């Protein structure tokens, strides 16, 4: 029996790429868990000629995802791209897993009001949420 391959986009701010890399390493190291990364890390940006083309390419990625993980640091409240990724996930009825960074108590309303589940800053919490909510 083969493992299911979860297609996941980790929505994050490039200014906080370490958080993205941490979650990526957690997913990579989780036992009996296979996933494909549909994210747009700073190390591998999408080559697009316009903002509209970039949005379309991100939307295409999200449309193929099992779920979207949103790092819910307070910077999210000021990120046009993270807002776009949340709106696109909702448009395509993709589950949204909100992650509270490192015990942070406050999270932006954009994340908490749209997430299917909010989890803490732990590998097991994120992996369990993906297993439970991903399409």
């Amino acid at each position: 029996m083969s493992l299911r391959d979860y297609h996941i986009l980790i929505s994050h701010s490039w200014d906080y790429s370490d958080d993205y890399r941490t979650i990526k390493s957690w997913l990579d190291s989780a036992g009996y868990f296979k996933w494909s990364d549909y994210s747009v890390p700073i190390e591998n940006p999408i080559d697009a000629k316009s903002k509209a083309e970039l949005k379309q390419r991100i939307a295409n990625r999200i449309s193929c995802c099992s779920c979207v993980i949103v790092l819910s640091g307070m910077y999210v409240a000021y990120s046009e791209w993270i807002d776009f990724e949340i709106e696109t996930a909702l448009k395509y009825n993709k589950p949204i897993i909100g992650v509270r960074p490192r015990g942070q108590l406050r999270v932006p309303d954009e994340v908490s009001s749209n997430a299917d589940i909010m989890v803490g800053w732990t590998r097991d919490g994120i992996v369990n949420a993906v297993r439970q909510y991903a399409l």
Side-chain angles (χ1 to χ4, degrees):
M1 181 175 176
S2 63
L3 289 177
R4 175 180 173 183
D5 184 4
Y6 295 101
H7 299 177
I8 301 172
L9 184 134
I10 303 169
S11 179
H12 65 286
S13 168
W14 281 0
D15 292 337
Y16 297 87
S17 288
D18 286 346
D19 291 344
Y20 159 77
R21 283 189 283 279
T22 297
I23 290 186
K24 182 179 181 332
S25 72
W26 285 345
L27 296 175
D28 288 343
S29 68
Y32 303 101
F33 188 85
K34 181 178 177 185
W35 76 294
S36 296
D37 191 355
Y38 281 66
S39 309
V40 185
I42 193 168
E43 301 86 7
N44 191 18
I46 293 174
D47 183 26
K49 293 175 180 55
S50 67
K51 190 175 186 177
E53 182 183 354
L54 179 58
K55 283 186 170 188
Q56 185 57 54
R57 288 187 173 197
I58 291 171
N60 289 345
R61 286 181 182 215
I62 292 171
S63 73
C64 298
C65 283
S66 310
C67 66
V68 174
I69 295 174
V70 180
L71 304 180
S72 59
M74 288 311 292
Y75 58 81
V76 170
Y78 308 102
S79 174
E80 168 191 358
W81 290 104
I82 294 174
D83 284 349
F84 171 75
E85 290 165 344
I86 290 170
E87 290 166 12
T88 304
L90 293 170
K91 174 183 170 185
Y92 288 109
N93 295 313
K94 301 298 177 175
I96 297 173
I97 298 168
V99 180
R100 287 184 193 86
R102 297 181 183 83
Q104 182 174 303
L105 298 177
R106 293 183 58 220
V107 296
D109 289 339
E110 179 74 10
V111 178
S112 61
S113 63
N114 289 302
D116 291 273
I117 186 172
M118 293 294 302
V119 298
W121 186 252
T122 66
R123 180 185 70 181
D124 290 345
I126 295 167
V127 169
N128 290 338
V130 170
R131 285 181 170 139
Q132 182 176 357
Y133 286 90
L135 300 174

